[in-house]
Amino acid sequence: AQKVTQAQTEISVVEKEDVTLDCVYETRDTTYYLFWYKQPPSGELVFLIRRNSFDEQNEISGRYSWNFQKSTSSFNFTITASQVVDSAVYFCALTRLNSGGYQKVTFGTGTKLQVIP
Amino acid sequence: EPEVTQTPSHQVTQMGQEVILRCVPISNHLYFYWYRQILGQKVEFLVSFYNNEISEKSEIFDDQFSVERPDGSNFTLKIRSTKLEDSAMYFCASRAGLAGTGELFFGEGSRLTVL
């Protein structure tokens, strides 16, 4: 069974502060993908990043960075110099690649980030 | 940039009525999904669809739900007799084939309100 835990339900930061969103996952699969999605107040799900289980390199994209650590089953997401537009619910998600190729994505419960101006 | 489109964006219906939510996945994608999100809660998997049949479904996806790809472009979710607890945002998603990145592309969602 797969499970994704986002222990932080809500976080508030003041604009320009850095913030890290935690994600811990459980899976018995050796091949899997991890994702982060952003859900702004408008409701859509916006893809941010995908990582496969063989690639533990950290990634930086502008103000966003991700720290994937297989040893601790964590895939944490850091926003540097947060902005008001970063206010959203952020979901961490996990999926495996079945022999049939299709995937079921398991989402965490989300972390609501509020950036205060 | 190609996108998944969903209609309607919001539907209000009476309990017991049938509802059809429509999705147009990205044209060269092979795998299709429906997820739902009850207000303020996490996104839950409903069903995956490949090669014109259901690949996997969750416990939520009971006999009241069905999916169809009637014409090679649309992918629909039908709820036969809606209940109050079906009120949620329903997301359609699609993914390219095995050679693809594994990324799910989500539509903007269809909000269903059952009164």
Side-chain angles (χ1 to χ4, degrees):
Chain A
Q2 297 177 111
K3 187 177 176 184
V4 177
T5 301
Q6 294 180 256
Q8 304 149 308
T9 311
E10 286 194 45
I11 302 176
S12 288
V13 298
V14 176
E15 201 172 19
K16 294 184 186 169
E17 284 184 350
D18 298 348
V19 58
T20 295
L21 310 182
D22 298 332
C23 173
V24 173
Y25 62 92
E26 293 175 34
T27 180
R28 291 184 180 177
D29 297 297
T30 53
T31 302
Y32 52 89
Y33 292 101
L34 293 160
F35 302 84
W36 275 94
Y37 284 87
K38 175 182 179 180
Q39 187 175 44
S42 48
E44 72 272 24
L45 285 167
V46 179
F47 167 81
L48 295 178
I49 190 172
R50 174 188 60 93
R51 254 299 174 259
N52 74 52
S53 50
F54 297 112
D55 184 0
E56 281 194 76
Q57 261 192 332
N58 291 331
E59 178 152 341
I60 297 175
S61 175
R63 295 184 298 108
Y64 295 169
S65 63
W66 291 269
N67 183 1
F68 175 30
Q69 294 206 345
K70 241 171 145 175
S71 59
T72 55
S73 297
S74 65
F75 187 43
N76 296 337
F77 171 31
T78 298
I79 302 175
T80 304
S82 58
Q83 300 175 0
V84 173
V85 293
D86 296 328
S87 297
V89 180
Y90 291 86
F91 290 96
C92 181
L94 167 69
T95 187
R96 58 190 165 90
L97 192 63
N98 291 343
S99 57
Y102 53 86
Q103 301 162 335
K104 164 191 164 182
V105 178
T106 300
F107 283 81
T109 49
T111 297
K112 183 175 181 180
L113 173 65
Q114 185 177 16
V115 180
I116 303 163
Chain B
E1 188 176 317
E3 58 181 19
V4 175
T5 56
Q6 290 185 241
T7 54
S9 54
H10 188 192
Q11 180 154 357
V12 181
T13 190
Q14 295 290 324
M15 193 168 58
Q17 295 295 303
E18 177 183 282
V19 158
I20 296 176
L21 305 178
R22 291 184 168 79
C23 170
V24 179
I26 294 173
S27 63
N28 61 343
H29 282 191
L30 301 177
Y31 299 87
F32 313 110
Y33 307 81
W34 282 100
Y35 286 77
R36 81 166 186 195
Q37 184 184 30
I38 294 170
L39 187 64
Q41 297 186 25
K42 71 176 178 179
V43 180
E44 300 174 292
F45 170 77
L46 289 179
V47 66
S48 60
F49 191 86
Y50 170 70
N51 202 24
N52 283 320
E53 59 183 23
I54 291 174
S55 319
E56 190 174 358
K57 59 183 182 179
S58 71
E59 299 165 351
I60 304 166
F61 195 87
D62 62 22
D63 293 343
Q64 292 299 312
F65 290 89
S66 63
V67 289
E68 203 176 34
R69 189 158 158 81
D71 56 14
S73 62
N74 290 289
F75 178 50
T76 62
L77 174 70
K78 182 194 291 186
I79 310 174
R80 229 176 306 278
S81 176
T82 50
K83 308 190 221 26
L84 295 176
E85 53 265 37
D86 294 327
S87 295
M89 180 78 94
Y90 289 81
F91 290 100
C92 174
S94 70
R95 187 177 71 80
L98 279 172
T101 64
E103 174 192 336
L104 283 183
F105 289 83
F106 283 90
E108 293 194 345
S110 292
R111 182 170 297 285
L112 176 64
T113 302
V114 182
L115 302 175

